[in-house]
Amino acid sequence: VCKYVALELKSAFEETSKTKEVIDTKYGFLDGKGSAVKYTQSDIRLIEVTENICKRLLDYNLHKERSGSNRFAKGMSETFETLHNLVHKGVKVVMDIPYELWNETSAEVADLKKQ
């Protein structure tokens, strides 16, 4: 969990580092004058990034064909990609879960988010 939280924090900070946005605070503590702060150096950026980490973890899927912590990765697993291709070619694929739920968040990924 720590690995993926760290990866998503790093990724989110990289994504938000490219903006030139400036935030006008419109207030000052001592002199009453407003000040401006760069978004990239603001506490608002930190808050927005951390608030979205859990949602970003839901982009992961369980890749059962991999081992260790590499089992979680973004994108469809090779197994489900193959199964989807078979279904699109007209092959009847029978599994324990209905086809409509194939792309839903797995219990393992939901647990990753919960942790």
Side-chain angles (χ1 to χ4, degrees), residues 15-99:
E15 290 168 11
T16 59
S17 69
K18 297 172 178 76
T19 184
K20 303 286 187 207
E21 187 177 344
V22 174
I23 299 169
D24 185 4
T25 61
K26 303 254 192 254
Y27 64 87
F29 291 108
L30 300 175
D31 59 8
K33 294 181 181 176
S35 61
V37 63
K38 291 181 182 178
Y39 175 78
T40 56
Q41 297 173 345
S42 70
D43 55 348
I44 293 173
R45 178 181 177 211
L46 174 65
I47 292 167
E48 289 177 350
V49 165
T50 54
E51 282 181 342
N52 292 315
I53 290 300
C54 292
K55 188 175 11 173
R56 292 174 67 107
L57 291 175
L58 292 177
D59 293 338
Y60 284 82
N61 285 310
L62 183 65
H63 294 244
K64 291 190 177 188
E65 65 274 359
R66 299 179 185 174
S67 63
S69 66
N70 291 327
R71 292 182 69 165
F72 293 100
K74 290 185 177 182
M76 191 179 294
S77 71
E78 292 175 28
T79 303
F80 270 100
E81 194 171 322
T82 302
L83 291 172
H84 276 287
N85 288 336
L86 288 172
V87 168
H88 291 297
K89 289 180 181 177
V91 176
K92 183 177 179 182
V93 177
V94 179
M95 290 181 48
D96 292 340
I97 58 173
Y99 179 78

